[in-house]
Amino acid sequence: MSRKVIILGGGPNRIGQGIEFDYCCCHAAYALKEEGIDSIMVNCNPETVSTDYDTSDRLYFEPLTFEDIMNIVGLEKPMGVIVQFGGQTPLNLAVSLRKAGVNILGTSADSIDIAEDRKRFQEMLHKLDLLQPDNGTAFTYEEAKAVAKKIGYPILVRPSYVLGGRAMEIVYVEKNLEKFIKEAAEVSGEHPVLIDRFLEDAIEVDVDLIGDGETFVIGGIMEHIEEAGIHSGDSAMSLPSYTLSEAILSKVREATYKMAKELHVIGLMNVQYAVKDELVYILEVNPRASRTVPFVSKAIGVPLAKLATKVILGKKLKDLGFTREVITNHVAVKESVFPFNRFPGVDVILGPEMKSTGEVMGIDKDFGHAYIKSQLAAGQRLPKKGNVFISVRDKDKRSIVFIAKKLEDLGFSVLSTSGTAAALGRSGINVQVLPKIAEGRPNILDLMKDGKVQLVINTPSGRMPREDEVKIRSQVIIYNIPYTTTISGAQATVNGIEALVKKDLGVKSLQEYHKSISKKIGKTKRKDK
């Protein structure tokens, strides 16, 4: 009688559901094949490789519901079920499947529950002496108001157990709280709404780790280019980190290993951190594959999802030859791809609710060139010269001065509206002042239409943006003008343009980058011996 394992996929593709989980499911099927075990895929997405006829030994094109999965388990009688490769959808079923007597392979259902349950998770962090932003839970507006008052604004409001940051909002003042609590409560259902203190201007960090219950190895530490508050599925990321100090990275590593050991991780784990004022805060822990697993695997040359499957089946990382973090000597930048051109008039602003539908990657020796390649792959052709339009909110006016100065030094002409122009003018930057859209012509919309704007930097004025801002940001999509809506994104863009002006892009295969990593790892090992 053949041995069988069921892999639960991510379900239908939609905005907020990363196709990256499908990559993990495919690698799980390939690993099972290598181990001589029949793979049974349960997924209902016609657009993915996991549902191709030759990926798994058997495919059930069924919804990812408890009832459907129990029917398949009853029919197939597998050794067990893998829930950690399809994202949040199968993970949410782990506890109920275990209670029904299904063997959950890999990290235990109880450990998954510790990471998902707010109270148990808090207890674990307290035990390990790790920091997290002040937080609370609420079922009603009154409860939420009390929590917000206690922890202080701004707060992040989000439903429990959702994928893609659905109905997640940053709330700055009490008058907006009722509306967002109502929306989150509808999505949360019987579970409480989660309320966290929002750390403004923090740097967000993602870590992917693989563990076999005894040995734990970090796959990659990624620094988000956009500041905290933008969903990790929408953020651009750099591997390795490009601004964090070794001291901070050591704290991140230490915290990651502590939690992996405590949760007895068997397979993959993802942790999201926020770094502010030299302190490292844990935002969330997912004992499953994350969207960044394909990116990290390609950057370091190690198929993490495939290794994780073999670990889940009982192999040890030592036997598989992966026992230490790979430190690359190249930079890989992950950029998200958005469907905005399919929705004319939509505002391109990013926030805690995921809007991307895919991702691309740029690799080079330095951050600037890797970033430029990621932008090209995502459909943004950054200019080497021309006019740049800059309009930012008050809190960003000091930061934008250095960016504008650098662009001027690179030969760009700066256009702006009166408020931002005044701040730039005081710092000696030559600015052409444009009238506001309702005040006169030619305004920014006219210049964009005439092809006279090559880059737009526009940070939002608040949760309810001004009408002018929305018009400008929706027009960049119509005319395919490169844009950025965050200060950190603007800094990365200028870095990329500067790198491009100094030296043209070169091309090297992924295998060549991996070869140089292998040499580096080989040398390190010999030195240790």
Side-chain angles (χ1 to χ4, degrees):
M1 191 176 155
S2 64
R3 297 187 298 159
K4 300 183 249 185
V5 166
I6 290 176
I7 303 162
L8 300 186
N13 193 25
R14 59 190 187 277
I15 294 172
Q17 167 72 38
I19 206 71
E20 301 82 36
F21 298 128
D22 199 66
Y23 165 100
C24 297
C25 291
C26 292
H27 276 251
Y30 305 150
L32 288 171
K33 202 169 279 183
E34 284 176 17
E35 296 300 310
I37 295 169
D38 284 356
S39 59
I40 300 165
M41 188 74 64
V42 181
N43 206 1
C44 52
N45 186 350
E47 296 185 330
T48 57
V49 182
S50 70
T51 55
D52 281 358
Y53 72 96
D54 58 351
T55 297
S56 54
D57 295 295
R58 197 166 296 188
L59 168 70
Y60 282 87
F61 203 86
E62 300 292 337
L64 272 298
T65 66
F66 175 73
E67 186 183 3
D68 286 285
I69 291 156
M70 286 308 296
N71 286 338
I72 297 164
V73 167
L75 185 68
E76 292 287 356
K77 298 180 175 51
M79 295 159 48
V81 174
I82 299 177
V83 297
Q84 59 176 269
F85 292 135
Q88 194 66 33
T89 308
L91 204 70
N92 287 349
L93 296 164
V95 175
S96 48
L97 287 174
R98 185 202 60 183
K99 282 178 181 168
V102 176
N103 182 25
I104 303 293
L105 297 173
T107 305
S108 72
D110 188 55
S111 289
I112 290 168
D113 192 53
I114 290 170
E116 294 286 329
D117 183 281
R118 176 56 65 103
K119 192 168 181 294
R120 296 186 76 191
F121 182 59
Q122 224 167 14
E123 284 165 4
M124 181 189 83
L125 293 185
H126 188 70
K127 178 185 170 185
L128 299 174
D129 199 23
L130 296 174
L131 281 176
Q132 73 174 147
D134 290 339
N135 60 76
T137 58
F139 283 96
T140 65
Y141 170 55
E142 289 305 320
E143 286 176 12
K145 214 158 65 164
V147 172
K149 201 171 181 183
K150 186 181 158 206
I151 65 178
Y153 288 92
I155 56 171
L156 188 69
V157 174
R158 57 185 170 145
S160 307
Y161 298 92
V162 295
L163 183 71
R166 190 166 154 232
M168 196 188 281
E169 286 288 348
I170 297 165
V171 182
Y172 287 89
V173 287
E174 193 177 284
K175 67 175 183 181
N176 295 334
L177 182 62
E178 189 169 11
K179 174 180 176 276
F180 298 137
I181 282 290
K182 200 175 164 197
E183 285 172 14
E186 277 172 22
V187 175
S188 223
E190 68 205 49
H191 300 291
V193 171
L194 311 178
I195 299 166
D196 295 84
R197 170 78 200 207
F198 175 61
L199 302 169
E200 284 193 284
D201 305 319
I203 297 168
E204 206 162 323
V205 178
D206 254 77
V207 181
D208 282 326
L209 169 138
I210 183 169
D212 60 16
E214 295 165 12
T215 306
F216 306 100
V217 183
I218 285 174
I221 299 175
M222 294 148 276
E223 180 182 341
H224 290 212
I225 290 166
E226 286 84 8
E227 61 268 2
I230 289 169
H231 193 279
S232 61
D234 286 353
S235 293
M237 295 182 197
S238 171
L239 190 162
S241 155
Y242 70 110
T243 70
L244 295 174
S245 67
E246 272 309 315
I248 291 291
L249 292 173
S250 294
K251 285 181 188 174
V252 166
R253 286 187 178 98
E254 190 188 340
T256 306
Y257 288 130
K258 267 186 180 179
M259 289 186 287
K261 200 173 176 184
E262 185 67 23
L263 290 169
H264 197 69
V265 169
I266 299 170
L268 291 165
M269 178 179 92
N270 169 262
V271 190
Q272 286 166 31
Y273 295 94
V275 177
K276 187 175 166 71
D277 303 329
E278 297 299 300
L279 294 172
V280 174
Y281 295 88
I282 287 99
L283 298 180
E284 62 177 291
V285 174
N286 295 304
R288 59 168 169 84
S290 71
R291 289 182 185 81
T292 47
V293 164
F295 167 67
V296 174
S297 299
K298 289 175 183 183
I300 67 172
V302 178
L304 293 174
K306 195 183 253 191
L307 290 188
T309 308
K310 296 189 176 190
V311 159
I312 286 165
L313 295 172
K315 291 208 163 180
K316 295 295 176 192
L317 286 170
K318 206 157 83 174
D319 304 328
L320 296 167
F322 187 59
T323 55
R324 64 171 64 196
E325 183 183 347
V326 175
I327 307 296
T328 63
N329 48 7
H330 57 260
V331 178
V333 173
K334 183 215 94 167
E335 181 57 283
S336 300
V337 178
F338 298 94
F340 296 134
N341 59 351
R342 304 289 176 92
F343 302 100
V346 76
D347 193 356
V348 301
I349 211 69
L350 301 178
E353 188 163 3
M354 185 175 158
K355 295 177 181 176
S356 67
T357 47
E359 56 183 41
V360 293
M361 175 175 177
I363 302 188
D364 213 298
K365 279 277 187 197
D366 60 76
F367 175 78
H369 283 96
Y371 183 77
I372 279 282
K373 286 179 178 179
S374 74
Q375 298 311 295
L376 281 169
Q380 286 224 93
R381 297 187 69 87
L382 294 180
K384 286 186 183 179
K385 58 184 180 184
N387 295 325
V388 54
F389 174 75
I390 301 174
S391 174
V392 297
R393 59 189 170 185
D394 289 342
K395 69 176 285 227
D396 293 334
K397 279 173 182 162
R398 180 181 286 184
S399 310
I400 201 66
V401 169
F402 302 104
I403 294 165
K405 186 81 187 85
K406 176 65 79 176
L407 285 165
E408 192 179 47
D409 292 346
L410 289 168
F412 284 82
S413 299
V414 179
L415 315 172
S416 189
T417 46
S418 54
T420 305
L424 298 177
R426 282 194 293 273
S427 299
I429 295 163
N430 290 318
V431 188
Q432 183 188 335
V433 184
L434 299 178
K436 288 184 176 168
I437 292 166
E439 289 174 357
R441 308 184 80 162
N443 57 44
I444 180 60
L445 299 185
D446 299 321
L447 295 181
M448 288 162 90
K449 194 176 179 181
D450 294 342
K452 290 178 180 171
V453 177
Q454 281 65 49
L455 178 66
V456 169
I457 298 172
N458 175 227
T459 64
S461 57
R463 174 66 189 86
M464 307 298 177
R466 296 189 192 109
E467 198 182 334
D468 275 17
E469 290 176 22
V470 178
K471 281 181 182 170
I472 292 164
R473 290 196 293 263
S474 53
Q475 196 132 324
V476 293
I477 298 300
I478 295 167
Y479 298 113
N480 202 19
I481 300 165
Y483 68 93
T484 178
T485 58
T486 64
I487 287 294
S488 46
Q491 283 166 338
T493 299
V494 172
N495 277 352
I497 291 170
E498 187 178 21
L500 194 58
V501 168
K502 286 179 180 172
K503 183 187 161 207
D504 267 342
L505 296 176
V507 178
K508 244 165 88 170
S509 71
L510 204 53
Q511 288 78 1
E512 284 176 86
Y513 285 110
H514 293 166
K515 210 181 280 180
S516 64
I517 297 173
S518 308
K519 283 179 190 165
K520 199 173 171 186
I521 294 170
K523 281 177 190 168
T524 313
K525 282 184 177 172
R526 278 196 293 276
K527 204 191 292 180
D528 287 352
K529 282 174 188 173

CSV table of all heavy atoms in Angstrom, one decimal, residues 243-264:
chain,number,residue,atom,x,y,z
A,243,THR,N,20.4,49.1,5.7
A,243,THR,CA,20.6,50.2,6.6
A,243,THR,C,20.8,49.8,8.1
A,243,THR,O,21.3,50.5,8.9
A,243,THR,CB,19.5,51.3,6.6
A,243,THR,OG1,18.3,50.7,7.2
A,243,THR,CG2,19.2,51.8,5.2
A,244,LEU,N,20.3,48.6,8.4
A,244,LEU,CA,20.4,48.2,9.9
A,244,LEU,C,21.8,47.8,10.3
A,244,LEU,O,22.5,47.2,9.6
A,244,LEU,CB,19.4,47.0,10.1
A,244,LEU,CG,17.9,47.3,9.9
A,244,LEU,CD1,17.1,46.0,10.0
A,244,LEU,CD2,17.4,48.3,10.8
A,245,SER,N,22.0,48.1,11.6
A,245,SER,CA,23.4,47.8,12.2
A,245,SER,C,23.5,46.3,12.5
A,245,SER,O,22.5,45.7,12.7
A,245,SER,CB,23.6,48.7,13.4
A,245,SER,OG,22.7,48.2,14.4
A,246,GLU,N,24.7,45.9,12.7
A,246,GLU,CA,24.9,44.5,13.1
A,246,GLU,C,24.3,44.2,14.5
A,246,GLU,O,23.9,43.1,14.7
A,246,GLU,CB,26.5,44.2,13.2
A,246,GLU,CG,27.0,43.7,11.8
A,246,GLU,CD,26.3,42.6,11.2
A,246,GLU,OE1,25.9,41.6,11.9
A,246,GLU,OE2,26.0,42.6,10.0
A,247,ALA,N,24.3,45.2,15.4
A,247,ALA,CA,23.8,45.0,16.7
A,247,ALA,C,22.3,44.7,16.6
A,247,ALA,O,21.8,43.9,17.3
A,247,ALA,CB,24.0,46.3,17.5
A,248,ILE,N,21.6,45.5,15.8
A,248,ILE,CA,20.1,45.3,15.6
A,248,ILE,C,19.9,43.9,14.9
A,248,ILE,O,19.0,43.1,15.4
A,248,ILE,CB,19.5,46.4,14.7
A,248,ILE,CG1,19.5,47.7,15.4
A,248,ILE,CG2,18.1,46.0,14.2
A,248,ILE,CD1,18.5,47.8,16.6
A,249,LEU,N,20.7,43.5,13.9
A,249,LEU,CA,20.5,42.2,13.3
A,249,LEU,C,20.8,41.1,14.2
A,249,LEU,O,20.1,40.1,14.2
A,249,LEU,CB,21.5,42.1,12.1
A,249,LEU,CG,21.1,43.1,10.9
A,249,LEU,CD1,22.2,43.0,9.8
A,249,LEU,CD2,19.8,42.8,10.3
A,250,SER,N,21.7,41.3,15.2
A,250,SER,CA,22.0,40.2,16.2
A,250,SER,C,20.7,40.0,17.1
A,250,SER,O,20.4,38.9,17.4
A,250,SER,CB,23.2,40.6,17.0
A,250,SER,OG,24.3,40.6,16.3
A,251,LYS,N,20.1,41.2,17.5
A,251,LYS,CA,18.9,41.1,18.3
A,251,LYS,C,17.8,40.4,17.5
A,251,LYS,O,17.0,39.6,18.1
A,251,LYS,CB,18.4,42.5,18.6
A,251,LYS,CG,19.2,43.2,19.7
A,251,LYS,CD,18.6,44.6,20.0
A,251,LYS,CE,19.5,45.4,20.9
A,251,LYS,NZ,19.0,46.8,21.1
A,252,VAL,N,17.6,40.6,16.2
A,252,VAL,CA,16.6,40.0,15.4
A,252,VAL,C,16.9,38.5,15.3
A,252,VAL,O,16.0,37.7,15.5
A,252,VAL,CB,16.6,40.6,14.0
A,252,VAL,CG1,15.8,39.8,13.0
A,252,VAL,CG2,16.0,42.0,14.0
A,253,ARG,N,18.1,38.1,15.1
A,253,ARG,CA,18.5,36.7,15.0
A,253,ARG,C,18.2,36.0,16.4
A,253,ARG,O,17.6,34.9,16.4
A,253,ARG,CB,20.0,36.5,14.7
A,253,ARG,CG,20.3,36.8,13.3
A,253,ARG,CD,21.8,36.5,12.9
A,253,ARG,NE,22.0,36.8,11.5
A,253,ARG,CZ,22.6,37.9,11.1
A,253,ARG,NH1,23.0,38.8,11.9
A,253,ARG,NH2,22.8,38.1,9.8
A,254,GLU,N,18.6,36.6,17.5
A,254,GLU,CA,18.4,36.0,18.8
A,254,GLU,C,16.9,35.8,19.1
A,254,GLU,O,16.5,34.7,19.5
A,254,GLU,CB,19.0,36.9,19.8
A,254,GLU,CG,19.1,36.3,21.2
A,254,GLU,CD,19.6,37.3,22.3
A,254,GLU,OE1,20.2,38.4,22.0
A,254,GLU,OE2,19.3,37.0,23.5
A,255,ALA,N,16.1,36.8,18.8
A,255,ALA,CA,14.7,36.7,19.0
A,255,ALA,C,14.0,35.6,18.2
A,255,ALA,O,13.2,34.8,18.6
A,255,ALA,CB,14.0,38.0,18.8
A,256,THR,N,14.5,35.5,16.9
A,256,THR,CA,13.9,34.5,16.0
A,256,THR,C,14.2,33.1,16.5
A,256,THR,O,13.3,32.2,16.5
A,256,THR,CB,14.5,34.7,14.6
A,256,THR,OG1,14.3,36.1,14.2
A,256,THR,CG2,13.9,33.8,13.5
A,257,TYR,N,15.5,32.9,16.9
A,257,TYR,CA,15.8,31.5,17.3
A,257,TYR,C,15.1,31.1,18.6
A,257,TYR,O,14.7,30.0,18.8
A,257,TYR,CB,17.4,31.4,17.5
A,257,TYR,CG,18.1,31.4,16.2
A,257,TYR,CD1,19.2,32.2,15.9
A,257,TYR,CD2,17.8,30.5,15.2
A,257,TYR,CE1,19.9,32.2,14.7
A,257,TYR,CE2,18.4,30.4,14.0
A,257,TYR,CZ,19.5,31.2,13.8
A,257,TYR,OH,20.2,31.2,12.6
A,258,LYS,N,15.0,32.1,19.5
A,258,LYS,CA,14.3,31.9,20.8
A,258,LYS,C,12.8,31.4,20.5
A,258,LYS,O,12.3,30.4,21.1
A,258,LYS,CB,14.2,33.2,21.6
A,258,LYS,CG,15.3,33.4,22.6
A,258,LYS,CD,15.0,34.7,23.4
A,258,LYS,CE,16.0,35.0,24.4
A,258,LYS,NZ,15.7,36.2,25.1
A,259,MET,N,12.1,32.1,19.6
A,259,MET,CA,10.7,31.8,19.3
A,259,MET,C,10.6,30.4,18.6
A,259,MET,O,9.7,29.7,18.8
A,259,MET,CB,10.0,32.9,18.5
A,259,MET,CG,9.8,34.2,19.4
A,259,MET,SD,8.9,35.4,18.5
A,259,MET,CE,10.1,36.1,17.4
A,260,ALA,N,11.5,30.2,17.6
A,260,ALA,CA,11.5,28.9,16.9
A,260,ALA,C,11.7,27.8,17.8
A,260,ALA,O,11.0,26.7,17.7
A,260,ALA,CB,12.6,28.9,15.8
A,261,LYS,N,12.6,27.9,18.8
A,261,LYS,CA,12.8,26.8,19.8
A,261,LYS,C,11.6,26.6,20.6
A,261,LYS,O,11.2,25.5,20.9
A,261,LYS,CB,14.0,27.2,20.6
A,261,LYS,CG,14.7,26.1,21.3
A,261,LYS,CD,16.0,26.5,21.9
A,261,LYS,CE,16.6,25.3,22.7
A,261,LYS,NZ,17.8,25.7,23.4
A,262,GLU,N,11.0,27.7,21.1
A,262,GLU,CA,9.8,27.7,22.0
A,262,GLU,C,8.6,27.0,21.3
A,262,GLU,O,7.9,26.2,21.9
A,262,GLU,CB,9.5,29.1,22.5
A,262,GLU,CG,8.4,29.1,23.5
A,262,GLU,CD,8.7,28.5,24.9
A,262,GLU,OE1,9.9,28.4,25.2
A,262,GLU,OE2,7.8,28.1,25.6
A,263,LEU,N,8.5,27.3,20.0
A,263,LEU,CA,7.3,26.8,19.3
A,263,LEU,C,7.6,25.4,18.7
A,263,LEU,O,6.8,24.8,18.0
A,263,LEU,CB,6.9,27.8,18.1
A,263,LEU,CG,6.3,29.1,18.5
A,263,LEU,CD1,6.2,30.1,17.4
A,263,LEU,CD2,4.9,28.9,19.1
A,264,HIS,N,8.9,25.0,18.8
A,264,HIS,CA,9.3,23.7,18.3
A,264,HIS,C,9.0,23.6,16.8
A,264,HIS,O,8.3,22.7,16.4
A,264,HIS,CB,8.6,22.6,19.2
A,264,HIS,CG,9.3,21.2,19.0
A,264,HIS,ND1,10.6,21.0,19.5
A,264,HIS,CD2,9.0,20.1,18.3
A,264,HIS,CE1,10.9,19.7,19.2
A,264,HIS,NE2,10.0,19.2,18.5
